[in-house]
Amino acid sequence: MTLRNTTDRWGSLSMSLHWLIAALILVLGIVGLSMDSLPKTPSYFWVYTAHKSLGITVLALVVVRLAWRLYAGRPEPAPGIPAWQERIAEATHWLIYVLIFAVPLSGWLFDSASGLRPFRLFGLVEMPKLVAPDQHIRHLSHQIHEYGFWLLVLVVCGHAGAALFHHFVQHDATLARMLPRGWLSRKTHPDQGASA
């Protein structure tokens, strides 16, 4: 497996970033949805800081992922995919990028506008405030953070559903080329010889 993307599959760096970011977003979603039910003990504030630290980590990783995609390109569409599906896929990818930027940035903005003391990234680096305390910005950024998260969930579910549709219905290599070689059966993808 090569580090760089090729014309027929994603490289190891793109794959690693894709699945790492997906896993972190899953963890962030679970933690974020359960935080309000936690008792306000010292461990609550540790969980809250960990949530913010992981959010900033996702923001940094998506910057790396986007920069790498712009530098290394991306594979060509799998053979036989209609142009309209490719246009929808491209629009979906860019919407996911926008949302992965918007959700952690709005969380950081919410934290800044709340007037709380600066949090330390994983307890190590003090993060700067983006704005001065402001109730209007606090409310707006919280709305963006919350509704942006649910929109991201919806779009990612559509993205995953489309990948499964390509694999099980259209029988092309779209899903297989975002996985390490050999994870999916070649018998399922007779056209996958060059791309898997």
Side-chain angles (χ1 to χ4, degrees):
M1 182 183 302
T2 62
L3 186 69
R4 290 194 62 166
N5 304 328
T6 65
T7 57
D8 56 15
R9 67 180 290 114
W10 295 98
S12 57
L13 181 58
S14 292
M15 280 188 214
S16 299
L17 288 169
H18 176 275
W19 295 111
L20 177 59
I21 291 168
L24 289 175
I25 289 172
L26 179 62
V27 170
L28 282 164
I30 292 169
V31 172
L33 292 172
S34 61
M35 278 194 308
D36 285 343
S37 63
L38 296 175
K40 301 300 188 286
T41 63
S43 60
Y44 167 84
F45 296 102
W46 181 89
V47 170
Y48 198 71
T49 300
H51 178 77
K52 291 187 275 189
S53 296
L54 285 176
I56 297 298
T57 302
V58 167
L59 186 61
L61 287 173
V62 80
V63 169
V64 173
R65 171 90 199 272
L66 182 57
W68 181 251
R69 176 172 170 166
L70 293 173
Y71 170 74
R74 67 179 192 89
E76 295 295 323
I81 292 182
W84 65 269
Q85 286 186 11
E86 181 56 27
R87 286 193 295 271
I88 291 173
E90 187 71 7
T92 301
H93 284 127
W94 286 109
L95 179 57
I96 290 172
Y97 279 120
V98 168
L99 291 169
I100 296 177
F101 274 108
V103 173
L105 275 174
S106 60
W108 190 0
L109 192 61
F110 170 74
D111 182 76
S112 300
S114 297
L116 302 172
R117 65 182 183 181
F119 79 94
R120 299 180 70 84
L121 187 70
F122 296 110
L124 301 173
V125 179
E126 187 173 290
M127 297 300 294
K129 294 291 188 181
L130 299 178
V131 294
D134 184 299
Q135 286 304 306
H136 175 69
I137 294 175
R138 179 181 182 275
H139 175 74
L140 179 61
S141 58
H142 184 266
Q143 296 290 97
I144 294 170
H145 192 65
E146 183 175 351
Y147 292 114
F149 166 74
W150 287 113
L151 180 57
L152 178 60
V153 168
L154 184 65
V155 176
V156 166
C157 285
H159 174 68
L164 294 172
F165 175 81
H166 278 282
H167 183 69
F168 290 108
V169 178
Q170 293 192 208
H171 303 292
D172 63 43
T174 299
L175 176 60
R177 62 193 188 168
M178 185 47 93
L179 294 168
R181 291 181 191 276
W183 275 39
L184 296 176
S185 170
R186 289 179 184 275
K187 292 179 182 177
T188 308
H189 300 286
D191 63 332
Q192 206 177 312
S195 57

